[in-house]
Amino acid sequence: MNIVAIVQARMTSVRLPQKVLKPICGEPMIGLLLRRLSHSKEINSIVVATSSSEEDDPLEEYVTDLGFQCYRGSEKDVLERYYGAAMTIQASVIVRITGDCPLIDPEVVDEVIQGFKKSGADYYSNRWPPTYPDGLDVDVFSFEALRLTIEEATEPADREHVILYMLRNPNKFKIANKENVRDLSSLRWTVDEQEDFDVISRIFAYFSPNINFSWTDVLA
């Protein structure tokens, strides 16, 4: 079973442009995310999926210099980008992570992957319903589920949001979810705007130079 984390990221985010390379404690945000994620015991490899736009050239250069793989595909058709990355790296299981979640916790990622394995689900997540802080989102799905999705999904929203077609078709996909013991979904730990970035920056500064603190450390 080749379990591959595909991290979607691009430089052209509308609300906070170039946020993935904005430095936190001297290191680009995407670098912190990738280095934290690399501590996962369940993931075999990590690939960043970005667009073929020249604006994402600096992102590819940084990611590859850091020692991670980078796949480039459609800017708008994120589903196509995921499928291309999964095909290239021959993934049998895909772990979807977004580049605006630098506090992603490898232990949470591993727990969701383990839940996927035990459940026999086609798609397994920790956010339907959400009970973890926003920013610890993990989606795990089989390559077969991704292949069926890219063959059948035609709506623009389904092509932009990789897992939306699966969620809208529970008759075609077995879907399961991991819930936290407490509902902490009101907590915002993701980066969309400058205010979010400032909060995350202060969290990393608090634990510096350690970048591998856990989500429960942050909660405390």
Side-chain angles (χ1 to χ4, degrees):
M1 186 181 291
N2 187 22
I3 302 175
V4 178
I6 300 180
V7 182
Q8 63 186 76
R10 60 191 178 94
M11 296 286 282
T12 53
S13 54
V14 177
R15 284 173 286 186
L16 190 59
Q18 303 181 346
K19 64 183 177 184
V20 291
L21 288 185
K22 280 175 72 73
I24 295 175
C25 297
E27 181 170 355
M29 185 171 84
I30 191 72
L32 293 169
L33 185 157
L34 293 171
R35 291 209 290 134
R36 284 173 61 85
L37 185 60
S38 67
H39 287 274
S40 162
K41 295 179 175 66
E42 294 283 346
I43 291 171
N44 299 118
S45 55
I46 299 171
V47 58
V48 173
T50 192
S51 85
S52 51
S53 164
E54 64 179 21
E55 291 174 278
D56 286 317
D57 289 353
L59 176 58
E60 180 187 28
E61 183 179 355
Y62 174 73
V63 166
T64 52
D65 284 350
L66 204 58
F68 293 93
Q69 298 181 69
C70 189
Y71 175 85
R72 302 186 69 169
S74 172
E75 182 171 12
K76 302 294 185 188
D77 191 342
V78 186
L79 181 60
E80 181 277 328
R81 206 192 309 165
Y82 261 77
Y83 186 74
M87 285 284 288
T88 300
I89 208 162
Q90 296 183 306
S92 52
V93 175
I94 295 98
V95 182
R96 175 178 174 266
I97 304 290
T98 56
D100 52 7
C101 297
L103 292 179
I104 196 71
D105 190 307
E107 286 193 19
V108 174
V109 172
D110 285 349
E111 288 168 4
V112 177
I113 295 171
Q114 288 157 9
F116 169 83
K117 288 177 175 177
K118 291 174 185 171
S119 70
D122 301 303
Y123 168 73
Y124 192 93
S125 184
N126 67 344
R127 58 197 192 104
W128 310 106
T131 52
Y132 286 83
D134 184 7
L136 297 182
D137 300 346
V138 185
D139 299 299
V140 183
F141 45 89
S142 67
F143 178 78
E144 286 306 309
L146 179 63
R147 183 184 57 77
L148 183 63
T149 299
I150 199 161
E151 286 175 359
E152 296 188 354
T154 55
E155 295 293 326
D158 291 334
R159 307 295 297 196
E160 182 183 354
H161 304 286
V162 178
I163 45 84
L164 186 57
Y165 183 81
M166 298 179 206
L167 288 169
R168 296 205 299 203
N169 291 276
N171 58 318
K172 295 183 179 181
F173 303 95
K174 182 182 176 184
I175 296 171
N177 189 67
K178 175 178 173 56
E179 291 190 29
N180 189 39
V181 289
R182 291 167 58 199
D183 182 2
L184 301 171
S185 58
S186 63
L187 299 176
R188 183 171 175 79
W189 295 4
T190 187
V191 178
D192 281 325
E193 300 175 358
Q194 184 64 44
E195 185 180 9
D196 302 326
F197 184 82
D198 294 342
V199 170
I200 300 299
S201 296
R202 288 198 292 272
I203 290 170
F204 275 97
Y206 178 84
F207 290 104
S208 181
N210 175 28
I211 71 158
N212 293 311
F213 47 88
S214 73
W215 79 277
T216 52
D217 291 334
V218 178
L219 187 63

